[in-house]
Amino acid sequence: MEKFLNFLPDIEVESPGRINLIGEHIDYNGGFVLPAAIDKVIHFKFKKRKDNLIHVQSMAFDNPLKIEINKLDKSPISWHNYLIGVLYYINLLCPDKIQGFDCVFKSNLPVGSGISSSAALECGFAKGVNELLKLNLSNQEIISLCQRAEHDFAGTKCGIMDQYAVINGIDNHFLLLNCQKITHKLVPAKLLNHKIVLLNTNISHNLSTSEYNVRTQECQSALDSIKLKYPEYKFLCDVPIEIINEFKTNLPLNHYKRAVFASEENQRTLKAVDYLKNEDVVQLGNLLYSSHEGLRNLYEVSCKELDFLVDFTINNSSVKGARMMGGGFGGCTLNIVKEDYVDLFINDISQAYLEKFNIKLTPHIVKTNNGAKVL
Ligand code: GLA
């Protein structure tokens, strides 16, 4: 950590992780999602160099990235690739503008836990390079170049939600993000006397990248089949459930299930916004449980550890809702928990989880936050 403190920067950037209240796996299906940036962040320091080298040091990982701007090849070290991808796409947008610099970063965002440490890394790094080298990239350009970096350098064909929320988050609000128009409306995060508690399973199944990409393809195939009869639908989330049901016997079962989930989850997100506006935390919580059911049985991206944590909260009136969050196959559950019950809840569920799986949970009580910013 000394290295971090002793590094005297030209600029500093703070980049948050994100949660997603509801609207899972539908950003790439043209749906509405409801994320927020959170108070767990990556802190970057940047300083210009006189040569063309780029050195990036993480306080958590060995193997600093040392690269020249004209040699942006993929690295065998996975965290390097997020940054190399960002540099690659910045260089395409701003040819010959990237000069050498040093960067160090430290993070309190757990990796592989579904709170998007990768988008925080990409977007914070891009924002810092943009400011340090005065490149005048817009937030929209930063969001989309970071998404492309994730697709092509990290290999996840992700939607736009994570990068969008990391850049555009506003404290005390969720973003109702329209993933077709790539615009958002702010929804006040009023949960009355409740807190958002994330429970990290500390499981990160290898399936998360490969199965993620399979899901995006399954959804595309389902949409392609539906469009043969109904060409007016451009996105799976727009197809009403009655029309999807017409295809029950024509579509492969998996594709049918994915389509039902996407259509229903989209409706749930819109309902959740109404419940938030009416401060109806009970109904909101019920939607979270329905979302989890869908992710478990129709979309099939949950796992036994996540299911156990969600099931543990059912019938407990102090927990209004719970569901897996993010890509799935491990990572966190998101729980809406009565303020005065949070400590006891964490205690009880951690003990039960330890007994069941012999794994320690990591709880995080999170608050909403602003998006990535130059300090
Ligand atoms: C990952 C992706 C997002 C989104 C979620 C699931 O976090 O990066 O684009 O698809 O999974 O909702």
Side-chain angles (χ1 to χ4, degrees), residues 323-343:
R323 64 176 201 86
M324 57 148 278
M325 190 185 72
F329 303 103
C332 290
T333 61
L334 178 148
N335 303 263
I336 301 181
V337 187
K338 255 187 117 201
E339 234 162 45
D340 55 9
Y341 177 65
V342 167
D343 290 344

Side-chain angles (χ1 to χ4, degrees), residues 27-93:
D27 54 348
Y28 52 85
N29 285 314
F32 286 96
V33 297
L34 204 51
I38 54 169
D39 58 346
K40 301 225 161 273
V41 300
I42 306 181
H43 184 162
F44 297 85
K45 292 183 175 184
F46 291 86
K47 189 175 180 57
K48 278 192 192 163
R49 294 172 62 100
K50 302 228 169 350
D51 56 22
N52 265 333
L53 297 176
I54 294 166
H55 285 186
V56 187
Q57 168 98 57
S58 154
M59 291 299 109
F61 302 120
D62 296 332
N63 303 316
L65 169 66
K66 297 186 176 178
I67 201 162
E68 279 179 50
I69 193 60
N70 47 8
K71 287 193 196 137
L72 294 177
D73 300 326
K74 276 193 195 169
S75 161
I77 296 162
S78 63
W79 69 267
H80 287 180
N81 287 318
Y82 297 102
L83 308 180
I84 297 171
V86 167
L87 290 170
Y88 179 88
Y89 284 112
I90 290 183
N91 194 39
L92 276 191
L93 285 173

Side-chain angles (χ1 to χ4, degrees), residues 11-13 15 42-46 103-105 120-121 124-125:
I11 64 152
E12 297 181 59
V13 171
S15 184
I42 306 181
H43 184 162
F44 297 85
K45 292 183 175 184
F46 291 86
C103 169
V104 294
F105 67 90
L121 183 62
F125 188 65

Side-chain angles (χ1 to χ4, degrees), residues 3-275:
K3 186 148 202 171
F4 193 78
L5 295 176
N6 292 340
F7 185 100
L8 294 178
D10 294 333
I11 64 152
E12 297 181 59
V13 171
E14 205 176 82
S15 184
R18 65 101 190 89
I19 50 172
N20 184 25
L21 188 61
I22 197 160
E24 212 63 272
H25 277 282
I26 54 171
D27 54 348
Y28 52 85
N29 285 314
F32 286 96
V33 297
L34 204 51
I38 54 169
D39 58 346
K40 301 225 161 273
V41 300
I42 306 181
H43 184 162
F44 297 85
K45 292 183 175 184
F46 291 86
K47 189 175 180 57
K48 278 192 192 163
R49 294 172 62 100
K50 302 228 169 350
D51 56 22
N52 265 333
L53 297 176
I54 294 166
H55 285 186
V56 187
Q57 168 98 57
S58 154
M59 291 299 109
F61 302 120
D62 296 332
N63 303 316
L65 169 66
K66 297 186 176 178
I67 201 162
E68 279 179 50
I69 193 60
N70 47 8
K71 287 193 196 137
L72 294 177
D73 300 326
K74 276 193 195 169
S75 161
I77 296 162
S78 63
W79 69 267
H80 287 180
N81 287 318
Y82 297 102
L83 308 180
I84 297 171
V86 167
L87 290 170
Y88 179 88
Y89 284 112
I90 290 183
N91 194 39
L92 276 191
L93 285 173
C94 313
D96 303 325
K97 294 265 179 65
I98 301 186
Q99 300 155 27
F101 62 88
D102 290 332
C103 169
V104 294
F105 67 90
K106 66 174 181 170
S107 171
N108 62 9
L109 267 177
V111 173
S113 56
I115 48 182
S116 218
S117 55
S118 59
L121 183 62
E122 293 150 4
C123 294
F125 188 65
K127 198 124 186 145
V129 174
N130 184 43
E131 175 77 16
L132 185 76
L133 305 178
K134 303 277 172 262
L135 303 177
N136 287 321
L137 292 169
S138 67
N139 276 345
Q140 194 48 50
E141 285 173 312
I142 289 178
I143 290 167
S144 83
L145 80 87
C146 289
Q147 186 193 23
R148 291 177 75 186
E150 178 107 18
H151 282 202
D152 299 336
F153 283 77
T156 307
K157 305 292 178 196
C158 64
I160 198 74
M161 172 172 75
D162 300 351
Q163 290 78 11
Y164 194 97
V166 165
I167 290 290
N168 287 317
I170 297 283
D171 198 7
N172 292 320
H173 291 81
F174 293 105
L175 307 179
L176 174 63
L177 168 58
N178 177 331
C179 298
Q180 293 181 22
K181 296 191 177 145
I182 323 288
T183 54
H184 71 268
K185 288 189 178 147
L186 291 176
V187 182
K190 281 200 205 143
L191 296 173
L192 301 177
N193 300 323
H194 294 79
K195 291 205 162 152
I196 296 178
V197 179
L198 305 181
L199 297 174
N200 189 350
T201 56
N202 287 319
I203 297 279
S204 177
H205 292 296
N206 295 333
L207 287 173
S208 50
T209 303
S210 58
E211 285 296 308
Y212 187 95
N213 295 340
V214 170
R215 291 298 174 281
T216 63
Q217 285 161 12
E218 289 169 336
C219 289
Q220 188 57 50
S221 302
L223 179 63
D224 290 345
S225 307
I226 293 168
K227 275 168 82 173
L228 293 177
K229 184 162 173 204
Y230 296 103
E232 63 270 35
Y233 292 114
K234 304 275 181 282
F235 296 94
L236 196 54
C237 280
D238 287 344
V239 186
I241 199 76
E242 302 76 40
I243 291 190
I244 294 172
N245 281 334
E246 280 182 35
F247 291 81
K248 189 165 184 174
T249 49
N250 302 1
L251 288 175
L253 180 61
N254 278 356
H255 297 188
Y256 168 74
K257 286 161 73 176
R258 311 307 184 231
V260 172
F261 172 78
S263 180
E264 290 181 346
E265 182 75 353
N266 197 38
Q267 294 307 313
R268 279 192 284 268
T269 307
L270 296 172
K271 269 196 209 155
V273 173
D274 287 339
Y275 292 143

